[in-house]
């Protein structure tokens, strides 16, 4: 799904209530129009759904663009949406612009049959540990990660503890 001008019009009211959201949206759309799959505004927070192959350039842009300066990756985690959902997984990036006091969330949808996402450890060093935790607990692989290995579970543990490998909507 790509963002249309009509859907942007519908977001304008919601975006106006979130500090820095309109500026962030404008800058990202100008540079990465095809990379943004969807935008959600809920509870005063903005979430951009980014295409998997664009996550590294989008993150680097958000960090380096002088008007945005999202210089802190406060969290990165994996979400198993359940066996019934397609795509099954998401990687969630929580970004903070300390100088501008703005927050934004990025999400990348990841199908179960191709459970890989490019690493952003070259953008924010803290992603190294967050990505290892996500790999260990959810089983999402981060391509070109410098040390993608287990971090919390024993080496001999098979499977991933946070995967929902059972029906969530009854039997």
């Amino acid at each position: 799904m790509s963002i249309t001008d009509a859907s942007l019009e519908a977001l304008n009211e919601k975006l106006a209530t979130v500090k820095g959201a309109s500026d962030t949206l404008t800058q990202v759309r100008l540079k990465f129009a095809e990379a943004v799959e969807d935008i959600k505004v809920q509870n005063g927070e903005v979430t951009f759904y980014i295409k998997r192959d664009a996550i590294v350039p989008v993150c680097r842009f958000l960090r380096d663009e002088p008007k945005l300066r999202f210089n802190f990756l406060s969290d990165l985690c994996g979400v198993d949406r359940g066996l019934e959902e397609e795509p099954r997984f998401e990687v969630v990036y929580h970004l903070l612009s300390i100088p501008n006091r703005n927050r934004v969330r990025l999400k990348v949808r990841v199908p179960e049959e191709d459970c890989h996402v490019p690493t952003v450890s070259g953008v924010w060093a803290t992603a190294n540990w967050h990505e290892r935790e996500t790999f260990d607990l959810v089983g999402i692989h981060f391509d070109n990660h410098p040390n993608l290995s287990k971090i919390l579970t024993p080496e001999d543990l098979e499977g991933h503890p946070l995967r929902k490998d059972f029906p969530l909507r009854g039997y």
Side-chain angles (χ1 to χ4, degrees), residues 4 57 70 102 143 166:
T4 63
F70 285 96
N102 296 336
D143 298 331
F166 47 86

Side-chain angles (χ1 to χ4, degrees), residues 3-124:
I3 304 300
T4 63
D5 289 338
S7 62
L8 281 177
E9 289 293 325
L11 282 172
N12 280 341
E13 245 179 74
K14 291 182 180 179
L15 289 171
T17 65
V18 181
K19 183 180 184 298
S22 293
D23 293 339
T24 303
L25 172 62
T26 301
Q27 293 295 323
V28 171
R29 288 242 19 237
L30 285 173
K31 182 93 172 157
F32 299 100
E34 295 301 315
V36 179
E37 295 178 326
D38 197 5
I39 302 168
K40 303 273 189 208
V41 179
Q42 187 174 1
N43 300 324
E45 298 179 351
V46 180
T47 302
F48 290 92
Y49 289 82
I50 304 295
K51 290 183 180 177
R52 175 173 40 181
D53 60 344
I55 192 62
V56 174
V58 168
C59 286
R60 188 169 284 118
F61 174 77
L62 289 170
R63 181 196 67 188
D64 296 343
E65 172 59 38
K67 294 178 183 173
L68 302 176
R69 296 172 58 194
F70 285 96
N71 55 344
F72 183 60
L73 173 68
S74 60
D75 190 28
L76 181 157
C77 60
V79 176
D80 183 348
R81 301 171 58 223
L83 294 170
E84 298 87 2
E85 299 297 325
E86 186 57 41
R88 179 175 174 182
F89 301 104
E90 290 178 338
V91 178
V92 184
Y93 305 79
H94 296 267
L95 308 181
L96 173 65
S97 171
I98 295 171
N100 296 327
R101 299 172 67 191
N102 296 336
R103 295 181 181 274
V104 71
R105 178 184 304 114
L106 307 177
K107 288 188 177 184
V108 173
R109 295 175 174 135
V110 184
E112 182 175 13
E113 60 278 354
D114 187 19
C115 205
H116 291 264
V117 176
T119 183
V120 295
S121 61
V123 180
W124 297 286

